[in-house]
Amino acid sequence: MRLLTLNALFKGDVRPRLRALAAHLAATPYDVVCLQEVLTRGGARLLAQLAPAYAHRRYHGTLVLKGGLVLLSRRPIVSCSFTRFPVTGPARPERLMRKGAQVAVLETPAGRLAVVNTHLSANRDDDWSPANRWTAVARAELTHLAGVVAALDPALPVVVTGDLNVPRDAAVLADFRAAAGLTDAMAGDLRPTYRPTPQWPAPPAFDHVLVRGATAACRLVFEEERVALRDGRSVYLSDHYGIEADLTLSGA
């Protein structure tokens, strides 16, 4: 099973970037693709139109998609639901995204697999210490997410993936992994997954692949890919790198 996760960036030249992403998806035989920050049904439909091999697709909402989450799959989807995180912490425009998690069960050649595609609230202080106000928001969201994972059939392999907006070595993430019984497939890899900028030359690893009942070999993608625009400019595919993961289910 090959998985891709990517925060697709909801602003700035969205449709050209989604078109380029769709071309990559059409040329690459991923089994399942988990996207974050695809905010509109139109964006999801564009991906479906340009990458039709992913015949099984799920997103939730009407015009604005809940959580900005889209799941594309070559494998049949047995079930899929969206759960919203509790509304906590300081008021912020980000609440309009209705952050949460998309929980899908896929039928694969090795058996059923639960895929949890998620995007947590951002830490606007860039401070993930336990006492920080945004760490409290992350803790509430991760506690809710741990309950979601716990409610899944314990015999079912699980992958939790997406932009968790907490660094790989954050204590709050370690607490979540322990509570949910998950292993970090990229443990010890502290390379950034948010694209460095002159203003932020060393961001953390925000994007994750966490597994239960499975192993995953992961690699970063889209580090250099640019999209040519009609006005002659070129832009990066996203402000995040993607992660490809080759999943092996236990017992497969």
Side-chain angles (χ1 to χ4, degrees):
M1 283 283 295
R2 178 167 292 182
L3 174 147
L4 171 71
T5 180
L6 175 68
N7 180 322
L9 181 58
F10 73 96
K11 60 184 179 180
D13 309 299
V14 172
R15 290 186 73 83
R17 289 188 294 99
L18 288 181
R19 288 181 179 276
L21 174 60
H24 175 83
L25 298 182
T28 309
Y30 297 113
D31 292 281
V32 59
V33 177
C34 295
L35 301 175
Q36 306 89 46
E37 290 199 16
V38 180
L39 293 193
T40 67
R41 182 173 287 265
R45 286 176 172 168
L46 179 65
L47 290 167
Q49 175 188 352
L50 297 179
Y54 299 86
H56 309 281
R57 302 175 284 272
R58 294 293 187 274
Y59 41 87
H60 307 268
T62 51
L63 295 178
V64 178
L65 301 188
K66 294 179 181 179
L69 302 175
V70 171
L71 186 143
L72 308 173
S73 177
R74 295 176 186 265
R75 305 297 178 183
I77 298 173
V78 177
S79 64
C80 188
S81 62
F82 175 84
T83 178
R84 188 177 181 182
F85 292 140
V87 180
T88 61
R92 53 199 184 276
E94 188 180 30
R95 283 182 179 172
L96 297 175
M97 287 189 189
R98 296 173 288 176
K99 290 288 182 73
Q102 192 178 34
V103 184
V105 176
L106 308 185
E107 199 73 72
T108 84
R112 290 187 174 182
L113 168 69
V115 178
V116 181
N117 178 24
T118 191
H119 189 187
L120 271 64
S121 295
N123 185 314
R124 297 174 181 275
D125 296 336
D126 299 336
D127 172 7
W128 292 272
S129 60
N132 182 265
R133 57 181 180 157
W134 297 107
T135 300
V137 174
R139 186 177 296 110
E141 294 179 349
L142 288 169
T143 297
H144 181 90
L145 193 58
V148 170
V149 175
L152 294 168
D153 182 345
L156 197 62
V158 178
V159 55
V160 176
T161 192
D163 178 3
L164 274 64
N165 265 319
V166 290
R168 202 174 309 288
D169 57 354
V172 68
L173 186 60
D175 292 343
F176 164 69
R177 292 197 307 268
L182 296 164
T183 299
D184 185 355
M186 300 182 74
D189 186 344
L190 300 182
R191 290 176 296 168
T193 62
Y194 182 87
R195 187 175 304 282
T197 67
Q199 296 75 29
W200 201 7
F206 285 140
D207 302 88
H208 302 271
V209 176
L210 312 175
V211 294
R212 184 189 80 188
T215 59
C218 301
R219 55 200 162 271
L220 299 183
V221 293
F222 306 139
E223 293 176 271
E224 301 299 333
E225 281 78 358
R226 286 181 173 269
V227 178
L229 303 178
R230 290 181 178 179
D231 62 6
R233 292 182 298 124
S234 68
V235 296
Y236 286 113
L237 185 64
S238 174
D239 59 347
H240 283 244
Y241 304 146
I243 301 174
E244 285 183 354
D246 289 326
L247 300 166
T248 301
L249 309 191
S250 296

